[in-house]
Amino acid sequence: MVDTRPFLPVSSSDGSNPSEPLANGRKPMKALLSIFFGLLAVGLLAALLTSNNGSDFVTENEHDPLASSTTTTKSEPLRPLSRGPAAGVSEKSNRLFADENTVAFPWNNSMLSWQRTAFHFQPERNWMNDPNGPLFYKGWYHFFYQYNPHAPVWGDIVWGHAVSKDLIHWLHLPLAMVADHTYDKSGVWTGSATFLPDGKIVMLYTGSNAQAVQVQNLAYPADHSDPLLINWIKYSGNPVLVPPPGILSKDFRDPTTAWLTSEGKWRFAIGSKVNKTGVALVYDTKDFINYEKLDGFLRAVDGTGMWECVDFFPVSKTGENGLDTSVNTPDVKHVMKVSLDDDRHDYYTVGTYHEKNVTFVPDDLTIDVGIGLRYDYGVYYAAKTFYDQNKNRRVLWGWIGESDSEAADLQKGWASVQSIPRTVLLDKKTGTHLLQWPVQEIDSLRLNSYEFNHVSIQAGSVVPLEVGPATQLDIIAEFKIEKEALEKATGSNVTFSCSSSGGAKERGALGPFGLLVLADDSLSEQTPVYFYIAKGSDGNLKTFFCNDQSRSSVASDVNKQIYGSMVPVLKGENLSLRVLVDHSIIESFAHGGRTVITSRVYPTRAIYGAAKLFLFNNATEAGVSASLKIWQMNSAFIRPYPNLDNKSR
Amino acid sequence: MNKFICFSLLHLIFSFTFLPVKSRENSATLIETTCKTTPFYNLCISALQSDPEGPSADIPGLARIGANKVKAKATATLRQIRASLKEAKDPSLKTALLDCVDFYNAIVEYDVPMAIDAVVKGDPKFGVQGLNDAANEALACARRFENLPKSPIEGNNKVVHDLSAVVASIIALLL
């Protein structure tokens, strides 16, 4: 590197003087050049030597923070961290440990095995995340999912597979796709199914290839006459799509179901980001093998970050049925949904799809894609819908992760469940919200029922509901609050939010009131699901729907946040809710599913026979009356498909 | 004309001498700017700069370097825990150490490998989660010694915790 001949001799070593024959005019030039190179060499040498004293090197062992000394004094306590985005990124989601006094709870097998759900989809063991390619075919509902066959943490991702006749009773099938090609060697990631006009299925999915580049691959059933769709073939020419110019190799995943354009081409979207702007790329194809990338984006929103699991579908403005993904008639609105990598939440926006210029325009820009309404204000991510042509409805799946510690997941040997599939409809009354509701087939799990009519709950009281075991329940309830209390209460300017409130124990004039789920007799553990009515200084009432985990368990290594959001309540509507309790998961729906909250709770005492159900009213000025119908829920007996022998790989 | 050439040559020489020094400062600056976003700046700087590939690494590279350091430190701490177990006489000390074996196994076998995997494959949210989990395991281990007179692994435990927090922070930049 360093020129070892810093000063070129004017005469060469063998004595001859090469410069002598040169004309006089070139001598100074040569001298100048030699000085130039000489000084250049010196300069380089100097640079090399001086750079070793660069600013921030820590070389002394005693000052090296990495080397711990045994004489460390009891310094600042270790700070607990959330399992969500670390400090520095918008910290809106799960903070696992609320304070520094957390202790890892000594979970025993009885407590841990209680946590397993009875009627929510989950594999027998290990890790699951995103729902993939849901569809109905030849009498069976198919569900595929991101699965780690080796551990209860994310990794080694392949496609799990299960089938059901009714979206509730699932039977496990062999893995549908594994990481056996260069184009998905590092992971068989999320994808969606599209039905061709002849009824055949194509599956587009993301592969993380051997170089960890995200590419899109085509797969299809090996045997379309097999109703169980056990075996899948990957197209020999994969990958069919690679990251386009301007898109980074790790920002290109989760293709949507395709929809037909009026020109007869298939069109689909795939989420990405450009710097911190979340975007949806659009492609057209005639054969799912050759693609044309369209200019621009279906939608782009600054500051939202990477868009994962984009979903795009029509909803009827007038009807009560779901719509095929290709429908685009005037009586239709479109919904664009994204999963935000930055905060692990799913957002949806209602708007208009303009096919000609390939854009989606939100009805209300203040709730644009990624900054507006959420499907679910609790734990819910990577959701995906499909059109169920069997019952003409659009059905929604969502991944529900754990809210406990990873150590507990390792101990119990599994992590994650899926939500109960929900129908999705546009809420005609508000026009802005979607209504989500558990599929009607779940009613088949109902066993004996208990009815309570006009139970009155005084301000500041708790009323037990005798329903027998209280860990597998379907609760439908309606609440009425004293009219005079609503009118008399003084309004205030204070803004309320579930997450920043004191939870169910913070008393207001007109709330909180609702249910205490998974509570023990002494209420040392309880999960309130409740309404809170806030009155503004202008006299307007705002209703909030919340789910309070702060006292859900005496264990401290579980999520203790309070989830929830405002729920629009229109004139003449009573406050209504539905709650599905299934061991460690609670799905709660306010007002027919206008606002939904799913949470994971891990009680240590309010389990098995000790779990009870209560009504509560912690308002200071209002009495409340409740009418409820409550069912014990049977197990769905989710298990492997029996006698599969000849059909398995 | 000669004077002009002479002058520009000298000018060039001087700019060349500064160039190598400047580019050195730029790559150290990526480590610096990255570490500034983490909760333990000095620890971050020390971990990243002490690796020969640190100064030339991009952010995913820095994340991998940091994660590997966590794994190395956790592995060493696990050895220390096992050694302490052999000598421990007090039963409550033994229990605490046994619990920490579980926590540290989780860090070494699951948390860090999962995080590195996630960074390499480009699904960084699982990387953030993996290292947050590691920090929480270290925290859980530390709490085991609360009612004991002293913890033989206190210092190492803190380093594992803090460094995990640092690396989780770095990976979050990739979201």
Side-chain angles (χ1 to χ4, degrees), chain A residues 36 43 56 64 66 68 79 81-84 97 100 102 186 212 214 250 253 276 308 344 406, chain B residues 13 16-17 32 46 49 73 111 120-122 125-126 128-129 132-133 136-137 143-144 156 161 175:
Chain A
F36 167 71
D56 297 327
D64 179 6
L66 265 184
S68 56
R79 311 199 88 250
L81 292 180
S82 70
R83 300 189 77 189
F97 299 136
E100 289 156 2
T102 55
S186 303
Q214 291 165 12
K250 298 191 206 297
R253 53 187 184 271
K276 269 307 191 181
E308 301 192 290
R344 294 284 273 274
E406 192 229 23
Chain B
I13 290 165
F16 273 128
T17 54
E32 284 174 3
S46 166
Q49 283 190 341
K73 200 69 186 171
D111 299 335
V120 165
K121 290 172 184 174
K125 63 181 181 291
F126 293 114
V128 174
Q129 186 179 311
N132 280 342
D133 287 337
N136 285 331
E137 314 283 10
R143 291 297 166 190
R144 281 283 178 272
N156 274 340
H161 171 274
L175 283 170

Side-chain angles (χ1 to χ4, degrees), chain A residues 30-59:
Chain A
K30 201 154 188 225
L32 271 172
L33 274 172
S34 57
I35 293 173
F36 167 71
F37 281 116
L39 285 171
L40 176 62
V42 170
L44 280 171
L45 195 60
L48 270 172
L49 291 172
T50 53
S51 69
N52 274 333
N53 298 335
S55 34
D56 297 327
F57 266 54
V58 177
T59 47

Side-chain angles (χ1 to χ4, degrees), chain A residues 260-527:
Chain A
L260 270 172
T261 67
S262 48
E263 291 170 14
K265 293 192 207 167
W266 289 102
R267 177 169 293 169
F268 71 95
I270 180 163
S272 183
K273 66 173 161 149
V274 177
N275 297 321
K276 269 307 191 181
T277 301
V279 304
L281 305 163
V282 188
Y283 288 84
D284 276 1
T285 180
K286 290 197 179 130
D287 54 7
F288 288 92
I289 292 172
N290 301 294
Y291 296 82
E292 175 203 345
K293 180 180 170 306
L294 305 184
D295 285 333
F297 308 113
L298 186 58
R299 190 72 191 158
V301 180
D302 286 342
T304 50
M306 176 70 188
W307 285 3
E308 301 192 290
C309 298
V310 171
D311 197 5
F312 187 66
F313 55 89
V315 286
S316 172
K317 287 201 281 199
T318 52
E320 295 304 303
N321 285 332
L323 300 172
D324 181 284
T325 314
S326 299
V327 171
N328 188 18
T329 46
D331 62 334
V332 141
K333 296 241 65 147
H334 273 76
V335 175
M336 186 158 181
K337 168 261 165 191
V338 296
S339 293
L340 289 195
D341 211 8
D342 280 1
D343 67 8
R344 294 284 273 274
H345 296 317
D346 280 358
Y347 295 84
Y348 72 85
T349 300
V350 181
T352 306
Y353 167 51
H354 298 281
E355 193 198 273
K356 275 286 159 331
N357 55 8
V358 198
T359 54
F360 170 75
V361 179
D363 286 346
D364 180 351
L365 286 170
T366 64
I367 45 173
D368 205 336
V369 179
I371 61 171
L373 299 170
R374 283 166 55 179
Y375 268 145
D376 190 305
Y377 290 88
V379 179
Y380 193 85
Y381 195 66
K384 186 184 287 301
T385 63
F386 74 102
Y387 175 61
D388 171 9
Q389 72 275 26
N390 183 39
K391 295 207 169 167
N392 297 325
R393 54 185 174 179
R394 181 155 289 269
V395 177
L396 170 72
W397 283 93
W399 163 40
I400 318 290
E402 298 295 310
S403 294
D404 63 354
S405 73
E406 192 229 23
D409 295 346
L410 289 172
Q411 206 181 330
K412 72 196 191 195
W414 61 272
S416 300
V417 303
Q418 296 290 330
S419 73
I420 296 295
R422 303 170 182 171
T423 52
V424 178
L425 285 171
L426 182 64
D427 180 11
K428 317 291 187 291
K429 296 188 188 149
T430 60
T432 50
H433 286 59
L434 292 175
L435 295 176
Q436 303 162 59
W437 198 247
V439 290
Q440 176 256 324
E441 287 93 328
I442 198 178
D443 297 358
S444 71
L445 294 178
R446 289 172 169 171
L447 299 170
N448 40 321
S449 69
Y450 302 79
E451 237 176 282
F452 303 86
N453 285 314
H454 307 299
V455 179
S456 108
I457 322 154
Q458 313 283 19
S461 64
V462 170
V463 174
L465 293 169
E466 298 302 332
V467 295
T471 52
Q472 291 171 213
L473 297 175
D474 184 359
I475 305 168
I476 295 199
E478 210 175 75
F479 292 84
K480 284 197 175 81
I481 186 170
E482 280 166 5
K483 244 200 169 66
E484 315 83 64
L486 284 175
E487 282 153 18
K488 257 179 43 200
T490 42
S492 84
N493 263 334
V494 180
T495 44
F496 178 88
S497 94
C498 299
S499 53
S500 59
S501 73
K505 64 183 190 301
E506 178 182 305
R507 308 188 67 180
L510 305 171
F513 57 89
L515 290 161
L516 298 179
V517 166
L518 292 174
D520 63 337
D521 269 325
S522 65
L523 299 182
S524 66
E525 291 183 334
Q526 48 172 281
T527 304

Side-chain angles (χ1 to χ4, degrees), chain A residues 3-47:
Chain A
D3 192 335
T4 52
R5 300 170 301 147
F7 299 104
L8 286 172
V10 174
S11 57
S12 63
S13 48
D14 63 6
S16 67
N17 192 342
S19 65
E20 266 186 333
L22 292 175
N24 269 350
R26 293 187 64 184
K27 267 196 194 169
M29 191 59 195
K30 201 154 188 225
L32 271 172
L33 274 172
S34 57
I35 293 173
F36 167 71
F37 281 116
L39 285 171
L40 176 62
V42 170
L44 280 171
L45 195 60

Side-chain angles (χ1 to χ4, degrees), chain A residues 139-151:
Chain A
W140 289 97
Y141 286 98
H142 288 258
F143 180 66
F144 305 91
Y145 55 97
Q146 299 281 277
Y147 178 60
N148 182 350
H150 304 131

